[in-house]
Amino acid sequence: MSVVDEWTKKIAEAAVPEEIDLAPSIAHAFFSGGKERKQLFQREKKNVQGAFGIAEIALILPLILQALVYSATTLSTFISSTELNSFLTALNTTFSFRELAKRKQKVAALPDDPFLPLKNVLLIISGELHSMGLPEEESDLITFRILMKLLEDSAGASQFIQKIAKET
Amino acid sequence: MTSITGDGDSSEGSVPPWLWFWVVLYVISLPAQIRFYEPAILDLFFHKDWLVLVNVPELLPFLALFIGVLLIPFPWLRAFYLERQFQLAEPDRNSSALTEMETFLQQHAPGIHIKTNMLRTDQLAFVYPLGYRKTGIALFGSLFRLWRSDKQTAEAILLHEVAHCRHGDALIIGVGSFFEAVVRNFIVLYLLFCFLPLSWSFASQSIDALQSGIPFANKLQQIFTSILPGSFLQLLGLLGGLASVFVLPIIAIWGAEFNADRFAINQQKSSFDLLHALNKISLPRSIFSWIIFRLTHPPTKMRKWAAEPRFGKFLIVLLLFPVAYFAKLLALIARALSEYLLICSDFAEIFVQLADNIRTYFATIAPIWCAMAVFFLLWPFMCMYWEQYFGGSRGTQSFDTYATYLMSALIVGLSALLWIQMA
């Protein structure tokens, strides 16, 4: 299994477990680029006889991969930091709050030194997800789960982010 | 919308396969239809005058239906088209959701063949023919997501598809494949083949008239008193013709959809999950897309309404196809009226002609309604063997709802006898 396949699956497991079965196909299509990647973001609605009906269900995993591509530089800075343990503690503390406003306050209250890479990466990934149509609350929680997964295996995550950086 | 849990008062029973019934009638009536359209077709190919192009919009609905029926004996063509169109591939065997879905499907429709497109989300699932008695099912990414997040709802969707397979719909539901193309382009075709040639002809006549000294004002007046109202009536007549050709197969397709929903409810012993699944269907963004969606499925609100297992609702669903003959009559009246008004201004004469035509219509459909009444009476005995033939496994026979079939047979049969008497 390639790095991108492995990490797409890990991220799906952590952030959108209901899309775990789709992870290999989504990873393949996304990292193949071109038409195949385009298909992931198409909103074409076709009528078919014998179908249940035209669905209103969107996949989140392609949006996550897209958000990671957009924030690849910030992610590289984040994952290569020497303060990963502090980041992990800060994330756990922040996301122990249920309310989005409180979490935002908590993040804003973190000092820039050494937390600036964490603050930036939280802001950029959740901002990208929100701009692609996900609710703010959901974007924030997904970002938290992605970062926690990346921090579990920072060496592997670093390789994955390098691959992602090539997509920018 | 409230969901009904438990057996309900008429939760068993299925809608007769009206689409099959309609296909048989269509094939029987084909020689008469060909005779009816023959002059227009011959004109189109052998007449030198390019004004015969006005026949094209009138012929298209007939041709769309004719080709749709003609393709039924070649199910692999539909399979090839759909697999290409939706980029369907053999499924990823590593997916545990797929294994679970496959086990579930094999319990209800043994031998059904699965293909997938994990990346597409505008569809959930659909069935298509792979052979005369072999059915394929296409499963999409959105259904896999749903299977993980809300399994019961995903099962309701799969059961709906299984019902299409067991009811024999998969083989013939493609008859309506060309409806959308015709409806989508009908106004453009009308402008191109009717309005434009007629306008061109009028313009060239006007130039000749002006050159011979007829005042311009006379020609201008003719546009508003004759050309524009005439064009409007012509369009109305063509739309009536289009509706009269498509309405029966569309309502027969709706019948198959209602039946599939009903099967899911019967299997799950509750309408809760089906109603939840219906909430996943996207709403049309415009009136036009609403019309396009209706070519393949009944309105979602109507499906939710019919999902409640009540005697009266089941009766209405059963009678939907016979009632479609009245919708066809209305379309034919619109068409006939537009034609009469183009050539005759005596309203009394028009109404006499219309009344005569309506009587002939009822006399013509009376034997069909008699056949429908017999079909209503026989269907509860036949359905088990019908499902076994197409679905591979025999369902349970239940006569709990026989009263509803009996009532439908009486309504349809007595009406037919009345029309025969009147004729």
Side-chain angles (χ1 to χ4, degrees):
Chain A
M1 196 187 275
S2 72
V3 177
V4 286
D5 287 343
E6 186 191 334
W7 274 91
T8 306
K9 202 171 173 186
K10 279 184 180 177
I11 287 170
E13 212 165 19
V16 273
E18 59 273 24
E19 290 178 25
I20 187 83
D21 297 280
L22 312 176
S25 308
I26 291 176
H28 176 78
F30 190 87
F31 292 101
S32 298
K35 264 188 188 174
E36 292 201 55
R37 185 190 288 189
K38 239 184 190 172
Q39 200 188 345
L40 285 170
F41 300 97
Q42 265 172 359
R43 290 284 170 264
E44 194 187 4
K45 289 183 193 295
K46 265 204 157 299
N47 237 356
V48 191
Q49 275 90 3
F52 184 76
I54 295 176
E56 194 73 89
I57 295 174
L59 298 181
I60 296 172
L61 193 53
L63 306 183
I64 292 176
L65 293 177
Q66 188 70 61
L68 293 180
V69 166
Y70 286 146
S71 50
T73 317
T74 327
L75 265 172
S76 294
T77 316
F78 166 79
I79 209 74
S80 57
S81 169
T82 51
E83 298 289 340
L84 293 183
N85 282 334
S86 312
F87 294 169
L88 193 63
T89 313
L91 275 172
N92 276 323
T93 317
T94 308
F95 283 87
S96 62
F97 292 101
R98 284 188 165 207
E99 286 168 45
L100 175 70
K102 277 196 179 165
R103 292 202 297 263
K104 278 191 165 179
Q105 269 180 6
K106 194 77 189 160
V107 171
L110 290 170
D112 281 355
D113 188 16
F115 293 106
L116 189 63
L118 173 67
K119 287 163 86 173
N120 281 344
V121 87
L122 272 172
L123 192 74
I124 292 177
I125 298 178
S126 66
E128 286 295 343
L129 289 172
H130 185 47
S131 71
M132 284 187 277
L134 290 189
E136 205 177 354
E137 170 82 36
E138 197 181 351
S139 308
D140 199 49
L141 284 174
I142 287 176
T143 309
F144 162 69
R145 288 173 191 145
I146 296 168
L147 294 182
M148 288 298 283
K149 193 44 105 178
L150 293 176
L151 288 174
E152 261 179 29
D153 171 15
S154 56
S158 185
Q159 277 186 313
F160 175 58
I161 293 163
Q162 274 176 23
K163 291 269 181 194
I164 275 192
K166 286 182 190 162
E167 298 297 318
T168 51
Chain B
M1 184 63 57
T2 52
S3 66
I4 303 294
T5 311
D7 289 336
D9 59 354
S10 62
S11 61
E12 298 297 322
S14 62
V15 183
W18 291 126
L19 198 55
W20 277 96
F21 184 88
W22 174 83
V23 167
V24 171
L25 285 180
Y26 182 86
V27 173
I28 293 170
S29 70
L30 202 54
Q33 291 201 50
I34 290 173
R35 274 197 300 277
F36 178 77
Y37 288 106
E38 195 183 6
I41 296 170
L42 289 178
D43 268 0
L44 201 60
F45 289 105
F46 301 109
H47 207 282
K48 295 277 184 254
D49 191 350
W50 54 275
L51 269 176
V52 293
L53 286 177
V54 295
N55 290 337
V56 171
E58 192 180 352
L59 282 172
L60 272 176
F62 162 73
L63 287 174
L65 209 51
F66 178 69
I67 296 169
V69 174
L70 205 67
L71 290 178
I72 293 174
F74 310 100
W76 47 89
L77 285 177
R78 181 165 167 79
F80 176 76
Y81 170 77
L82 287 173
E83 286 180 0
R84 219 177 129 89
Q85 175 83 19
F86 288 91
Q87 292 170 294
L88 300 174
E90 290 300 330
D92 171 15
R93 294 280 162 198
N94 295 319
S95 158
S96 57
L98 177 89
T99 313
E100 288 167 28
M101 282 196 244
E102 196 165 28
T103 310
F104 181 81
L105 283 169
Q106 292 305 327
Q107 280 169 9
H108 296 280
I112 198 164
H113 186 81
I114 298 175
K115 288 220 170 177
T116 58
N117 180 342
M118 306 289 244
L119 305 178
R120 225 177 145 137
T121 57
D122 64 322
Q123 297 295 329
L124 289 154
F126 64 73
V127 286
Y128 60 99
L130 291 173
Y132 295 119
R133 286 175 63 197
K134 196 174 176 201
T135 307
I137 184 164
L139 306 178
F140 293 86
S142 44
L143 188 74
F144 280 83
R145 189 183 201 279
L146 201 60
W147 187 265
R148 290 277 182 202
S149 61
D150 186 354
K151 199 172 172 183
Q152 294 281 99
T153 302
E155 281 182 357
I157 293 165
L158 286 181
L159 285 168
H160 174 101
E161 296 310 319
V162 162
H164 280 311
C165 167
R166 295 172 67 95
H167 209 229
D169 302 332
L171 184 59
I172 58 165
I173 210 156
V175 287
S177 301
F178 301 99
F179 290 2
E180 188 176 330
V182 174
V183 173
R184 251 185 211 288
N185 302 304
F186 199 72
I187 298 293
V188 175
L189 290 168
Y190 164 76
L191 291 173
L192 207 64
F193 290 110
C194 292
F195 193 75
L196 207 65
L198 289 175
S199 303
W200 181 258
S201 166
F202 177 74
S204 59
Q205 280 174 22
S206 300
I207 291 166
D208 292 344
L210 289 174
Q211 280 170 349
S212 60
I214 295 171
F216 178 68
N218 284 9
K219 278 284 153 193
L220 198 65
Q221 193 187 12
Q222 212 181 342
I223 290 176
F224 291 102
T225 56
S226 161
I227 301 296
L228 287 179
S231 297
F232 172 75
L233 282 174
Q234 190 187 30
L235 178 61
L236 187 76
L238 286 170
L239 288 173
L242 174 78
S244 71
V245 174
F246 285 174
V247 71
L248 289 179
I250 287 173
I251 299 298
I253 289 170
W254 285 21
E257 293 299 334
F258 282 123
N259 181 69
D261 286 349
R262 201 172 164 77
F263 178 81
I265 294 167
N266 289 343
Q267 292 294 316
Q268 295 189 314
K269 302 277 181 226
S270 159
S271 58
F272 180 82
D273 298 308
L274 184 89
L275 289 172
H276 209 215
L278 288 170
N279 286 334
K280 305 279 177 204
I281 292 177
S282 69
L283 297 169
R285 292 197 187 117
S286 63
I287 294 174
F288 187 68
S289 61
W290 186 91
I291 294 170
I292 295 293
F293 285 9
R294 298 295 73 84
L295 299 176
T296 57
H297 290 84
T300 309
K301 275 187 184 172
M302 206 170 161
R303 286 172 74 179
K304 286 181 181 176
W305 170 85
E308 286 180 49
R310 296 267 179 270
F311 174 84
K313 291 185 177 185
F314 185 40
L315 183 70
I316 292 172
V317 169
L318 283 180
L319 290 172
L320 205 62
F321 183 69
V323 168
Y325 277 86
F326 286 96
K328 181 176 176 170
L329 175 66
L330 287 178
L332 287 171
I333 289 174
R335 183 189 162 156
L337 259 180
S338 69
E339 282 174 7
Y340 289 145
L341 288 170
L342 277 172
I343 53 170
C344 175
S345 57
D346 181 355
F347 283 95
E349 194 186 326
I350 288 173
F351 285 116
V352 168
Q353 287 256 14
L354 261 183
D356 198 35
N357 286 350
I358 291 170
R359 254 195 307 277
T360 312
Y361 178 80
F362 281 124
T364 315
I365 67 165
I368 298 170
W369 275 48
C370 284
M372 275 195 251
V374 174
F375 199 29
F376 271 128
L377 293 173
L378 294 179
W379 178 245
F381 300 95
M382 287 168 63
C383 66
M384 197 170 73
Y385 304 103
W386 182 274
E387 284 191 1
Q388 188 182 14
Y389 182 77
F390 287 106
S393 71
R394 194 184 284 196
T396 51
Q397 202 160 24
S398 165
F399 294 101
D400 294 350
T401 51
Y402 198 74
T404 327
Y405 293 100
L406 195 65
M407 177 84 89
S408 307
L410 278 174
I411 294 171
V412 171
L414 289 176
S415 308
L417 290 177
L418 186 76
W419 297 332
I420 291 170
Q421 285 273 311
M422 280 164 59

